[in-house]
Amino acid sequence: MLNYPEDLLTLIAYLKKFPGVGKRTAERFSFELLNWDQNDLCDLSALLSHLKKRIQACKECGCLMEKTICSFCVSQNRERHIMCVIANPRDVYAIEDTNSFRGLYHVLGTLLSPLDGKMPDNLNLSLLKTRIVRLKVQELILALEPTLEGDATALFIKEQFPHIYISRLALGLPIGSSLDFVDGGTLSQAISKRQKF
Ligand SMILES: [Zn+2]
């Protein structure tokens, strides 16, 4: 390891930042990159350098967008009276893959977790309140993971919006797992069998 060229050591250190990637895997990926075509490396490097500038969060719903307007918020084909509340923009893609939901989204940005300093102020709730009134939302589907943090967040939101029909994804999801580890069939069932919360 000590004999590696310095740039290679730096590359390995960066790759080790990925979750689940240890020293051996990072080394393997680094040597793989050394075998890549120069053009591919340039393309990847250009992509990474403007990634966060080009992909931003929609100021309305928090979903990721590439253009100046979000494809969900601008779509005329989506129901506006039903809104799916999710913790992270990534969860949108798991829900969309099921083809079970045609409403709008609202990304909280995080779940409540006082031990990690994630308090109610960190949830994107004031905008949710505004959107509910403006769009005349009648139902919120809380698509939050069945963990302590997800349960606490769901309860908190329920208290904040006592006059709205609030449902939560039906159980059937593995307890303690993240949404993106659940297969499409299970997630689809959970959406169609959602229950009043
Ligand atoms: Zn949007």
Side-chain angles (χ1 to χ4, degrees):
M1 185 84 172
L2 288 173
N3 292 327
Y4 284 159
E6 197 165 324
D7 282 351
L8 193 56
L9 282 174
T10 309
L11 180 60
I12 291 168
Y14 271 115
L15 292 172
K16 272 174 69 183
K17 287 173 178 264
F18 287 102
V21 173
K23 177 169 164 278
R24 295 292 297 272
T25 307
E27 286 173 339
R28 195 155 48 83
F29 285 175
S30 299
F31 278 99
E32 177 64 25
L33 282 169
L34 283 176
N35 286 329
W36 277 28
D37 183 81
Q38 180 61 31
N39 289 334
D40 285 344
L41 285 173
C42 287
D43 287 350
L44 176 62
S45 141
L47 176 71
L48 291 177
S49 70
H50 60 229
L51 195 64
K52 289 194 71 155
K53 280 183 218 142
R54 289 213 192 155
I55 301 180
Q56 298 197 350
C58 170
K59 288 187 172 55
E60 173 82 1
C61 71
C63 291
L64 296 181
M65 58 176 200
E66 259 178 319
K67 301 180 178 134
T68 48
I69 197 150
C70 152
S71 62
F72 300 112
C73 289
V74 78
S75 170
Q76 296 299 313
N77 299 322
R78 301 194 74 101
E79 297 175 51
R80 311 219 144 229
H81 63 273
I82 180 163
M83 195 173 274
C84 185
V85 177
I86 47 181
N88 299 298
R90 200 177 53 180
D91 298 335
V92 170
Y93 302 101
I95 306 257
E96 283 294 295
D97 274 350
T98 69
N99 286 317
S100 302
F101 178 72
R102 294 300 298 162
L104 296 178
Y105 289 101
H106 192 84
V107 179
L108 296 174
T110 184
L111 294 172
L112 283 182
S113 180
L115 288 177
D116 300 319
K118 303 294 183 192
M119 309 304 278
D121 283 352
N122 298 112
L123 303 177
N124 189 11
L125 284 186
S126 55
L127 185 56
L128 179 58
K129 275 179 197 163
T130 312
R131 293 183 76 203
I132 285 173
V133 174
R134 176 159 38 87
L135 298 167
K136 299 186 175 63
V137 173
Q138 290 161 14
E139 179 180 355
L140 289 183
I141 301 177
L142 305 182
L144 305 174
E145 58 192 35
T147 57
L148 272 178
E149 292 81 7
D151 292 349
T153 308
L155 270 171
F156 183 78
I157 292 176
K158 183 180 152 82
E159 285 166 7
Q160 300 298 303
F161 303 101
H163 304 303
I164 293 198
Y165 184 90
I166 297 186
S167 57
R168 209 176 159 192
L169 295 191
L171 284 180
L173 297 178
I175 301 292
S177 80
S178 299
L179 281 186
D180 57 334
F181 286 114
V182 176
D183 67 274
T186 307
L187 195 52
S188 179
Q189 275 283 323
I191 291 177
S192 63
K193 299 273 167 51
R194 65 184 184 271
Q195 296 172 332
K196 189 171 191 302
F197 177 61

